[in-house]
Amino acid sequence: MTKPASAPLTADQVAQFHQDGYLLLRGRVAPADCELMLAVTLDHLRRAVPPLEYEAEVGYDGAPASLDAPGGRTARRLRNAWQRDACFRDWASDPRLVASLAQLLGEDVVLTLAHHNCVMTKHPDFGTATGWHRDIRYWSFTRPDLVSVWLALGHEDADNGALKFIPGSHRIPLAPGQMDALDFLRPELPENQALFAQGVTPVLERGDVVLFHSKLFHSAGRNNSRDMKASVVFAYRGKSNPPLPGSRSAAAGEIAFQEGAQAG
Ligand SMILES: O=C(O)CCC(=O)C(=O)O
């Protein structure tokens, strides 16, 4: 039976997302659309079109010490993807994507421009690893239940810094001592090491998409290949889950979608 356009995901896919905290959609975006997004990304990197975030500013282990140090201008994120180019807006507002998110969130969907809303790049040599964290750590919403959408513009695997997920970790209770001051899982604790051992790295190809819960623990390694990796990332909330007034989550605007309608 043909699935209605308003429900692109099967019941099994929805159940899998709730169980594992993430859902992989293979070949979700056409190669030509990915090529366009990659071409825009490369052009904006070459011209350093702002706003960019540099590895030196993120300051993770192994990052260049300053913008003027060797590798200091290695871009980590091209911020404001939505505002940057129509190709990113087209993807972020793709009706089938929005309908899928409505199935996962159980209501109409709103794109937050405050979080992710970027092209993440990971460069050889100066691109740094990201420790185990959940996206919700710096976000302020009524409920901690958002969905991040990660689109691979090229091949991603453990060798070039692909995402690693701990399945089901969006549902586990944690003791405050398990996290460090920046809300990363502390790597030296045996109970955390037991969690890390459950991590899985889905290998992604160009056009593959991962939808993951904002409480799901994930990490990513360095890029040991010779090629830059680029991924387009947006975050969505349900209509009934607004950002807390006065918070950073409320400060950058939003795009509301209605079932079967374009951005409004
Ligand atoms: O690509 C990475 O290093 C991980 C990015 C990530 O998980 C994040 O920024 O939330």
Side-chain angles (χ1 to χ4, degrees):
M1 193 179 88
T2 310
K3 285 192 294 301
S6 61
L9 301 179
T10 64
D12 282 352
Q13 286 176 308
V14 173
Q16 192 179 351
F17 174 84
H18 291 302
Q19 172 72 24
D20 293 341
Y22 69 96
L23 181 67
L24 180 50
L25 302 174
R26 294 277 179 207
R28 177 62 187 72
V29 178
D33 294 338
C34 292
E35 273 160 32
L36 177 58
M37 286 187 250
L38 186 58
V40 171
T41 297
L42 293 174
D43 175 51
H44 284 210
L45 282 173
R46 189 179 52 77
R47 294 189 291 121
V49 177
L52 297 183
E53 182 178 42
Y54 293 100
E55 291 282 356
E57 295 168 323
V58 176
Y60 289 160
D61 277 354
S66 73
L67 289 177
D68 297 323
R73 304 272 162 185
T74 303
R76 175 80 173 195
R77 291 187 183 86
L78 286 80
R79 291 198 173 284
N80 288 3
W82 175 270
Q83 295 90 333
R84 209 168 255 283
D85 194 275
C87 65
F88 302 122
R89 289 191 288 281
D90 287 349
W91 162 237
S93 57
D94 174 86
R96 198 151 66 92
L97 172 64
V98 171
S100 302
L101 292 163
Q103 285 182 272
L104 300 181
L105 290 164
E107 58 177 338
D108 281 348
V109 169
V110 180
L111 168 68
T112 170
L113 298 179
H115 303 299
H116 289 323
N117 185 20
C118 70
V119 184
M120 294 218 194
T121 59
K122 187 153 295 185
H123 294 254
D125 300 325
F126 296 105
T128 58
T130 306
W132 288 103
H133 68 284
R134 27 189 188 195
D135 285 344
I136 198 68
R137 65 190 170 146
Y138 296 142
W139 302 358
S140 307
F141 291 85
T142 308
R143 299 187 307 276
D145 301 315
L146 287 84
V147 179
S148 295
V149 176
W150 183 281
L151 163 63
L153 296 183
H155 178 83
E156 303 196 13
D157 63 18
D159 191 51
N160 72 351
L163 289 179
K164 195 166 187 178
F165 300 102
I166 300 174
S169 58
H170 61 309
R171 294 184 282 105
I172 57 170
L174 286 170
Q178 286 181 254
M179 319 288 289
D180 69 14
L182 295 177
D183 269 348
F184 288 104
L185 282 172
R186 291 168 55 195
E188 71 281 12
L189 297 184
E191 59 269 43
N192 288 348
Q193 289 162 5
L195 288 173
F196 304 158
Q198 299 170 33
V200 294
T201 305
V203 174
L204 304 181
E205 303 298 345
R206 181 181 61 183
D208 289 350
V209 170
V210 189
L211 313 178
F212 60 98
H213 194 282
S214 51
K215 284 176 70 184
L216 187 74
F217 278 101
H218 57 287
S219 66
R222 290 175 55 83
N223 184 348
N224 299 317
S225 79
R226 295 319 306 157
D227 301 311
M228 185 202 68
K229 180 170 82 62
S231 328
V232 182
V233 194
F234 286 102
Y236 299 80
R237 68 171 176 88
K239 185 180 175 182
S240 71
N241 187 23
L244 300 183
S247 69
R248 192 163 72 83
S249 299
E254 299 189 314
I255 309 294
F257 303 96
Q258 281 171 345
E259 184 75 15
Q262 292 296 318

